[in-house]
Amino acid sequence: MELTGRVVALTGAAHGIGAAMARRFAAEGAAGVVVSDVDAGGAARVAAEITAAGGRAVAVTADATSKKDLKALVATARAEFGRIDVFCANAGAAFGTGVHAADEQWQRSWEINVMQHVHAAQAVLPSMLARGEGYLLITASGAGLLGIPGDAPYSVTKHAAVGLAEWLAITYRPRGVRVSALCPLGVRTALLEPGIAAGHPAALAIAAAAPLIDPEDVAEAVVRGLGAEEFLILPHESVRESFARKAGAVDAWIDEMAVGG
């Protein structure tokens, strides 16, 4: 999937990884970028930056957990640019809580880290399948492959996000729709840095697992991964080795993670 001339829509694109991807896609020559976020002002700023740099972008206020909002987002993209070639379901949430997290935190984690991707697929697949091409990028996490101590809802739902991406890839690749799961570890964003500063075990474990990278580094990895149509896009290459090591010796991996936690 080359991005030149493509129309890309993103959720969670007002800040961090989403904003970096939106800017990078525009720089790669995207025909249009739909910047969506629950933060209307942030989405508008990113879209304005892209437009000022000579790209085409529109901002949409959308709650990524809302099926209605995602349908409206897709409708806006079609009205502005005619279609969506690449949909990046990127919004995410972490609470830094264990198995005894409040029911509301478990539910919110499920809604944003899993059901967002379900609703996005439901919204964009019909038109992609009709054209016989399209791309879904699901932002999961290295925690969805390796696990992470200290945050049960995040680890569990990110595993589910990877599982959903795999199912979508198996089901729809024969019909021309590609799917990738983006699985970074530590990235300098507002989702991680406050936890590191507070000394939270999950944030510290992620920071210790691999060097922190910038959102722009993730965007670079995404461009490469989409170009190669890789299922797993791993901005931290160490995740690939760790994932293989885990698969080869699961009990040893659990012992290692338990000591680290």
Side-chain angles (χ1 to χ4, degrees), residues 155-181:
S155 181
V156 169
T157 55
K158 289 300 186 178
H159 273 78
V162 174
L164 173 63
E166 183 179 60
W167 185 91
L168 290 168
I170 292 169
T171 303
Y172 294 109
R173 182 177 291 185
R175 299 178 64 181
V177 177
R178 292 294 191 264
V179 181
S180 291

Side-chain angles (χ1 to χ4, degrees), residues 4-77:
T4 302
R6 300 291 189 173
V7 176
V8 185
L10 308 93
T11 61
H15 310 280
I17 293 172
M21 288 196 297
R23 297 185 189 103
R24 181 58 188 272
F25 294 159
E28 289 291 316
V33 181
V34 182
V35 182
S36 77
D37 201 286
V38 70
D39 177 0
R45 283 191 295 273
V46 174
E49 290 173 14
I50 292 172
T51 302
R56 296 183 63 199
V58 61
V60 176
T61 305
D63 179 348
T65 68
S66 166
K67 182 181 291 192
K68 179 181 177 181
D69 281 9
L70 289 179
K71 286 183 177 179
L73 165 60
V74 171
T76 298

Side-chain angles (χ1 to χ4, degrees), residues 82 98 108 110:
R108 182 61 177 167
W110 180 256

